[in-house]
Amino acid sequence: MRAAVVVASNRAAAGTYADTTGPLLVEALRRWGFETADPVVAPDGEPFGRALDTVLAAAPALVLTTGGTGVNPTDRTPEETRQRLDLELPGVAEALRAYGVANGVPTAMLSRGLAGVAGRTVVVNLPGSRGGVRDGLAVLEPVVGHLVDQVHGGDHVRGEE
């Protein structure tokens, strides 16, 4: 299965500094068994949306994004993502925020990140910090395989009764 990473960052896109969150996501996705190219880095807002369109056109099973989920006026990742989703998965986004808050990061509740499905691609917005990405990966790891399988028509595995 293929996955992709899109980073929303004005400064990283301009070369002011190197993005460090995208490589964390790529490393995790590869460890989870996804074929994943290097991260795509784009400025916040519409350029991020265009980059997301390009990635979605290749129909990967999963797209993780990082950055642009806060309340800064340039943070537009949720708005750009929502335009591309066929359905939202609010429980995933809620779990991401709750995990951060429960682990001593009260600002995690300020993330406006979304999760959902675009076509047959799962899309999840993660915060732009390394800590937020690590927390997001901890939340996603136990469910991402099942989630992707469900989106592609898989059946629920029944446990012993």
Side-chain angles (χ1 to χ4, degrees), residues 38-98:
D38 290 339
V40 174
V41 180
D44 288 300
E46 290 180 13
F48 167 83
R50 289 191 297 274
L52 186 55
D53 285 339
T54 299
V55 166
L56 288 171
L62 175 64
V63 175
L64 298 181
T65 76
T66 175
T69 63
V71 295
N72 186 290
T74 64
D75 290 338
R76 305 298 298 164
T77 296
E79 289 76 14
E80 292 295 327
T81 300
R82 181 171 276 124
Q83 294 176 38
R84 289 145 178 93
L85 295 179
D86 297 310
L87 60 96
E88 290 189 33
L89 301 169
V92 174
E94 291 163 9
L96 293 166
R97 286 185 281 275

Side-chain angles (χ1 to χ4, degrees), residues 3-21:
V5 173
V6 183
V7 177
S9 172
N10 290 331
R11 291 174 289 187
T16 304
Y17 62 72
D19 168 62
T20 59
T21 58

